């Protein structure tokens, strides 16, 4: 019996090994199938995440571009206004120089008028002295001793 028992036992072990291998093979195939499904799901999620990140990036760039475009327009306006201000300042400076020149010329003319007036007074004074001297000489002159 021991031999028969050993043979039966060996046969049973062989059958168990075959069954175990089949079970393991089945489990491995099932595991591999689940992994393939998970991998495919992960790949789809990765693609969706990349698409969403791309859309977000596009939206952010568009939003920033609006701000950049507005800043550019503001800069152009400021440059134009700065050039206009510089032109106005140059014109104002020219006009101020012209006014200064006119005032200086007027002042000089006034000085000349003052000098002429002073000269005329001096001449008038000298003529009054001469007149007084002539009147005195006429009154005191040679015919009136």
């Amino acid at each position: 019996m021991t031999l028969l028992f050993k043979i039966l036992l060996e046969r049973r072990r062989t059958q168990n090994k075959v069954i175990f291998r089949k079970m393991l093979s089945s489990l491995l195939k099932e595991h591999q199938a689940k992994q393939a499904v998970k991998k495919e799901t992960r790949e789809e999620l990765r693609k969706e995440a990349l698409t969403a990140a791309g859309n977000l990036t596009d939206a952010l760039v568009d939003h920033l571009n609006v701000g950049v475009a507005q800043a550019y327009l503001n800069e152009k306006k400021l440059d134009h206004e700065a050039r206009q201000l510089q032109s106005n300042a140059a014109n104002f400076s020219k006009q101020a120089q012209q006014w200064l020149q006119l005032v200086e010329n007027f002042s000089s003319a006034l000085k000349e008028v003052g000098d002429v007036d002073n000269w005329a007074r001096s001449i008038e004074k000298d003529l009054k002295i001469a007149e007084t001297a002539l009147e005195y000489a006429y009154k005191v002159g040679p015919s009136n001793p």
Side-chain angles (χ1 to χ4, degrees), residues 47-61:
K47 286 179 182 178
E48 287 177 10
L50 286 174
T51 301
N55 291 339
L56 176 64
T57 302
D58 290 344
L60 288 173
V61 167

Side-chain angles (χ1 to χ4, degrees), residues 26-43:
S26 172
L27 282 174
L28 180 62
K29 286 179 184 178
E30 187 179 320
H31 174 72
Q32 287 173 342
K34 286 181 182 177
Q35 289 292 23
V37 169
K38 285 182 180 179
K39 183 178 180 181
E40 187 176 318
T41 303
R42 278 194 312 266
E43 186 63 27

Side-chain angles (χ1 to χ4, degrees), residues 12 23 50 83 98 108 131-132:
R12 183 75 168 168
M23 283 176 40
L50 286 174
R83 277 188 247 109
Q98 289 172 348
S108 179
E131 178 188 10
T132 306

Side-chain angles (χ1 to χ4, degrees), residues 3 9 36 42 53 60-61 65 69 75 96 101 116 134:
L3 184 59
L9 190 62
R42 278 194 312 266
L60 288 173
V61 167
N65 281 342
E75 182 182 8
Q101 186 63 41
V116 168
L134 284 174

